[in-house]
Amino acid sequence: PPPAPQTPTPDLALIARAAELLARARRPLVYAGLGAAGAADLLRELAERLEAPVATTFSGKGVFPESHPLSLWPGFGDAAPSFARRIARDCDATIAVGCRFGEVATGSYGLRPPGPLIHVDIEPSVLNRNFPADVAIAADAADALQALLPALEQRPKDEALRTRIRDGRAAVREDWTRAASDGAVSPWLLLRALQATFGPEAVYATDSGNGTFLAMEMLELDRAGRFLAPVDYSCMGYSVPAAIGARLARPECPVVALAGDGALLMTGLELLTAVQLSVPVAVFVLRDRELAQIAQFQRTAMNRPVNSILPAYDLEPLCQALDVSFLRLEGNGEIADVVGRARAVTASGRPVVVDTAIDYSLRTHFTRGVVKTNLLRLPWLDRLRFIGRALLRKVTG
């Protein structure tokens, strides 16, 4: 077998330089990815010692506990809410740990880390690839933070900062609550009920599309490895097999799949594997009868979806054929009952599918941010042409 790759040792001169830059900063920002999962306790100590807001990548969701008063948002650029953008703009340094500044996590590169930038990652080729770093440290996150922390002084609690984060997150939740309608299932109310019913140890697997970004924004996770999503390659059909694999790997953890109705057509027959192996996963099929993320972008630009509407299909007879328990969830008033029944099915050792009439009328912060970022990236003439055509299509129908 080939020799195991060697873990790079942190350069102590670079660690000292990073400590110097952080000491000079009035308010640093911490940006953490999944590469920091093995250093979660050290990451928390870093944030509390610097009294710094912490943003994460999508894959890194939960690597810093999102119930912590310094937890900002999964991201901090145009694809984040306004309160998170304002707090990030007030920062004057960034330490990024275990992340690659990938295209999706940055909202199509719609953010700029407040400088100077200190970037720590175990993979040297990641450093300086997408954003140039003032200090680039090739090292395992735990090794780097263990070397860095003794050089940092403890800062006093910034109650004003913590209040801004708390109030900002509360305002976003209020917006989600107000957006709930009687006609279909509110994503916010559904995800809140899932967390309350399946508990803090639950693992969530999502599919490419709107469900991923809704779960990324609305779930509050306190540990890494609880959010499985096809972030970089956007492979549709990921959630069902990922959920089955997660439950096999962690039989002590409840597992919920948030499957798009288009994605389910690609890998939904893996439910037969769940039945055969008695894997008790709960699959909530977010049914809106279209490829929602694509359709939202199309409606923005063209005022209509193009080849993104799904043909009607009936899940119930499919589940009967596969011997999978089946439930329907049609409105917000049914959420508590149906989610509770789904939990009871999985507790009995069987998989369950819940056909969920999801309400996608409220666009995610991610979708709005990506549209803005890419529009502003166009030259002025092309930008005006794009906006003019979009307005004309809306007027003429």
Side-chain angles (χ1 to χ4, degrees), residues 27 36 43 58 74 80 87 93 126 291 303 318 383 385-386:
R27 175 179 290 159
L43 185 69
F58 298 174
I87 290 173
V126 165
L291 305 177
N303 197 36
L318 174 63
R383 199 183 308 174
R385 186 182 298 116
F386 182 93

Side-chain angles (χ1 to χ4, degrees), residues 104 107 128 131 159 167 198 210 236 271 291 302 310 318 342 361 395:
V104 176
N128 292 306
F131 292 93
E159 295 297 345
D167 292 350
F198 284 83
N210 216 30
M236 291 180 65
L271 287 165
L291 305 177
M302 299 178 288
L310 295 173
L318 174 63
S361 59
V395 171

Side-chain angles (χ1 to χ4, degrees), residues 3 16 45 135 191 213 216 245 278 302 355 370 393 395:
E45 184 178 350
V135 179
L191 291 168
F213 305 117
M216 177 272 296
S278 299
M302 299 178 288
D355 193 339
V370 168
R393 291 185 182 110
V395 171

